[in-house]
Every structure is written in C-alpha cells, then in structure tokens.
Amino acid sequence: MHNTATTPPGGPTGARSATPAPSRPETQERILVVLLASQVLSGVGLAAGVTVAALLAQDMLHSTTLAGLPSALLTAGSALAAVTIGRISQTRGRRPGLAAGYLAGALGGAGVVVAAALDSPALLFISLFLYGAGTAANLQARYAGADLADPRHRARALSTVLVATTLGGVVGPNLTAPAGHLAAALELPPLSGLFLISGAAFALAALTLLIWLRPDPLLLARTLPSEPETPERTCTGPAPAVPQPVTHRRPSLPLGVLVMVLSQLVMVAIMTMTPVHMHDHGHSTAASGLVIALHVGAMYLPSPLTGALTDRYGPTSMAAASGLTLLAAGILAATAPADSVLMLTLALILLGIGWNFGLVSGTTIITDAVPLATRAKTQGMIDVAIAIAGATGGMTSGIVVAAVGYPLLALTGAAFALALLPAVIVTAQKKPPRTPSLERR
C-alpha cells in the first residue's frame, strides 16, 4: 500500500498520478534549457536587423538621411508585438505568446528578401515592421526565465536566458559575407542573404518553444504559492539581497522603466549609425559586421555576471553602472578617429555592456514590482515603451548624422545616459522603508 508513490512512470494505471511531480527547481532548470536553445536561434535572427538593415535601405533609397528608418521600423514593430505577446502570454501562457512573435519575425524576414529582389522600398518597410516581432519575442523570453525563479535569484535567472543570445548574436553578423554569397547564388541581392538565414532561425526558435516549452512557466507559476512566500524567503536569504524584492517594489517601478528606456534609446541610436559611419569612411561590410558582432556579444555575454552583481548589490547600483558605462561609450564613439576600427569597436563594446547593465537591472526592478496576476500584460506594455524609445533613437539617428555628423550623435547619447544618474541617486536615497525588513531579520 505504501509503494504506489514510488511506482515508476511506465507502471500500472494510477501510477502516473501517484508519481511525484518534478520539483520547482527541476522544472525551472528544464525551462531554462529550452529557453536557452530558442535564444541561440533567435540571436541569429537579430543579426540581420542590426547589421545590414540600414545598409539595405541606404542602397535601395540612395540616401543616408533615411538610413535610420529600418531601425525605427524594427523597433516600432517590436512595440506592437510586445503588446500582443504580452496579452497572449497573459491569457494563454508564455509558449504561444513567444512562438507567435518568432513566427511573425520569420514572415517579416521572408518579406525583406522578396522586397530586395523586387527592389520595393514599400514592401521592405512593411516587412521590417513585421520582422520587429522577432526582436520583441527575444527580449520577452527573459521574463519567462524569471517566472519560476526564486525572488532572491531572479536577476541570475533572466540573465541566463539573455546570455544564450550571445552565441547567435555573435555568429549572425559574421555570416554577412557567406550569406551574401548564398543570396548571389540564388540570384538575390547580397544584402538580403542575412535576412534569409535570420528568418529561418526565427522559425526554428518558434518550433523549439512550441514543442518543448512544457509546462508553461507563467501558467505553472500562478498555481504555486511563490509570491506569498516571498517575505519569508527573502528574510532568510543573503543580507544584500534580502530587502530589495519586498521593500522597494512599488517605489522602484518608475526607475526600472526609465533605466530600460534610456538604455535602449542610447544604444539603438549609436549602434544603428555605426555601420553607416564606417561604410562612409571606407570600411568594408565585413569590418562593420565584426564590430556589430562584438557589440552584440557585449550586449548579452556579461549577463551571468550582471545578474550575480544585481542580486548581490541590488538593481539600483547596477542602474547607476549602466548610466556611467553608456556615458563612456558615447564619449569614446564621438572621439574615435573614423579610420580606427579598434576605437569604434571598444566604443560599441562599452555600449553593449552599458545596455546589458540597464536591461538586467531594469528588468529585475520591474519583475519585483509587478504582481504575478498581471505580470505578463504589464511587462508587455513596458516593453512597448522600450521599443518606442528604440524607434525614436533609430529614426532620429540618421537625421542627426546627416545634419551634424556621427560624433555629435554619440555625444547626444552620452548626455541622455548622464541624465539617468539623478534618477538613480534620488531612488537610492529612499532607504528608510528598508529598516523594518532589516530589523525583522
């Protein structure tokens, strides 16, 4: 009578219900593995929009002024997709929401290839807008990684998902030349080749989630008593991480949004025009692809360290580090000689690291601040603000460079990064609410 609980899963009828379900840590580990696989694939999908979209538009429009338009369209499409993915995730779970975003991105990639073949700017812009859905899904996957995570280790959980994008994000831009040869062999414009590969990568990411992301992390989290237990768990955790999730939830929400919005604005504006700036000064597409690859690597590769530092010292400290790093990146990009690939590479690496600091710290603040019952919908709306910031940065970057040059664009980005620091200081000074938690401990 007592051995039914240990009956193996292939046993007699009734044994399945008696078999102990996987523990929460085991389930979280499995979900992270699936998310890691999808992020590697979607990281390749990000490459085309970052690396060759501006060059493709410049080639088709014969103008630098609108070279920032593709980035704006990508991030505008990401904004609309963020709302849709958030709403689908809220009602149906993370799996259908993220998969829908990736499938839309794959369709957009195919549309870009057709637009390039037909030399149709209108179809190109429509397809780039749709392609932005893949970017939105890639970013919202970080929330799925945190759904079942212990609040004390949320930053590390979401950063684990982010770091998986590094492999695809670094490999993708370096596929620019081989993808161009593939496109030429198919009698397509060379710059469309990377979109051909990226669209396929988005489709594979969607299939990975549809098949293996089970159970759905958000739907499962709603059935577990995770949120009510947060105070007790945090009171027994490491001292530096204890008070943050509980005592700074609501007051920190505006800071979390501001950190991610400004980080996205500065990063997209400078990143978008760097390949154009290099191209105008005689650098090859391969050189700009390498710079962007290292930049994308810097955006995601530091994530585990950033997550650990955020859990250890708190997201407010990492938000300040984000502002300072982006400030340094903007100044270095503005002062780098146009013929120095090394200096531009260092500037773009700092830009990626600063963005990473902002994304991990801001996401941690927001996830702690939003109740589980409305988390997916709220996260989607916040990602809209982030996407709009990116669209603004991408759209205006080309106009600024055409009017006053790349160095002034970079200095403007540095000024926006500097503006983040006062908000961090004001939030850091609001420490009295932490006292009760410390005293209880």
Side-chain angles (χ1 to χ4, degrees):
M1 288 188 299
H2 295 288
N3 58 4
T4 56
T6 58
T7 303
T13 305
R16 181 179 177 183
S17 60
T19 301
S23 66
R24 176 171 173 169
E26 291 172 337
T27 303
Q28 168 72 349
E29 182 178 353
R30 181 182 184 279
I31 286 171
L32 286 178
V33 169
V34 176
L35 289 172
L36 290 177
S38 69
Q39 289 297 93
V40 169
L41 292 167
S42 64
V44 176
L46 293 177
V50 173
T51 310
V52 299
L55 296 175
L56 184 59
Q58 185 182 32
D59 185 57
M60 293 177 68
L61 298 172
H62 309 290
S63 172
T64 303
T65 303
L66 295 178
L69 183 58
S71 179
L73 290 169
L74 285 168
T75 47
S78 176
L80 179 61
V83 177
T84 305
I85 293 171
R87 290 183 180 276
I88 294 175
S89 298
Q90 185 70 34
T91 57
R92 305 285 299 276
R94 299 286 188 191
R95 182 168 58 89
L98 295 175
Y102 286 137
L103 288 174
L107 183 60
V112 170
V113 175
V114 174
L118 299 177
D119 195 24
S120 171
L123 180 58
L124 172 69
F125 296 150
I126 293 172
S127 299
L128 287 173
F129 183 85
L130 189 60
Y131 190 84
T135 303
N138 178 273
L139 279 177
Q140 289 212 19
R142 72 193 191 277
Y143 293 126
D147 283 332
L148 289 173
D150 188 312
R152 294 171 298 176
H153 306 303
R154 274 180 178 148
R156 270 174 276 187
L158 66 92
S159 65
T160 299
V161 176
L162 285 174
V163 76
T165 309
T166 304
L167 180 59
V170 171
V171 170
N174 286 298
L175 293 176
T176 302
H181 297 320
L182 173 63
L186 297 174
E187 299 184 350
L188 296 169
L191 288 176
S192 69
L194 198 53
F195 278 99
L196 188 65
I197 294 176
S198 297
F202 274 150
L204 289 174
L207 290 177
T208 298
L209 294 179
L210 286 173
I211 296 173
W212 286 295
L213 191 62
R214 302 171 186 274
D216 189 282
L218 181 60
L219 298 183
L220 178 59
R222 289 175 182 167
T223 67
L224 301 175
S226 58
E227 294 301 318
E229 293 178 358
T230 298
E232 286 77 8
R233 283 202 306 268
T234 55
C235 287
T236 59
V242 171
Q244 192 69 22
V246 179
T247 61
H248 275 266
R249 297 176 72 115
R250 298 301 175 185
S252 294
L253 179 58
L255 177 64
V257 177
L258 182 64
V259 169
M260 293 210 291
V261 164
L262 285 183
S263 298
Q264 185 77 357
L265 175 67
V266 173
M267 187 275 293
V268 170
I270 298 176
M271 175 200 67
T272 297
M273 296 311 297
T274 298
V276 175
H277 174 66
M278 294 180 66
H279 182 267
D280 290 344
H281 287 84
H283 297 291
S284 66
T285 303
S288 61
L290 176 61
V291 171
I292 294 300
L294 293 173
H295 164 71
V296 174
M299 288 172 63
Y300 297 102
L301 191 59
S303 295
L305 177 60
T306 304
L309 291 174
T310 301
D311 285 333
R312 177 67 176 83
Y313 296 105
T316 303
S317 297
M318 294 308 297
S322 171
L324 292 172
T325 307
L326 291 172
L327 173 64
I331 294 174
L332 184 57
T335 57
D339 61 350
S340 175
V341 175
L342 176 61
M343 295 296 286
L344 287 171
T345 299
L346 291 176
L348 268 289
I349 287 175
L350 284 175
L351 186 71
I353 293 173
W355 178 86
N356 179 268
F357 288 170
L359 185 70
V360 173
S361 61
T363 301
T364 302
I365 292 171
I366 288 168
T367 302
D368 287 340
V370 180
L372 183 60
T374 58
R375 184 171 293 167
K377 182 178 178 180
T378 304
Q379 288 166 337
M381 293 301 297
I382 291 172
D383 275 6
V384 171
I386 299 169
I388 291 174
T392 301
M395 186 64 185
T396 58
S397 62
I399 299 173
V400 172
V401 169
V404 295
Y406 178 83
L408 189 56
L409 170 70
L411 287 176
T412 303
F416 274 106
L418 183 62
L420 177 62
L421 298 180
V424 173
I425 293 171
V426 169
T427 301
Q429 289 175 342
K430 296 179 180 179
K431 295 198 173 187
R434 298 181 63 168
T435 305
S437 292
L438 292 173
E439 289 177 350
R440 281 205 324 265
R441 216 168 42 83

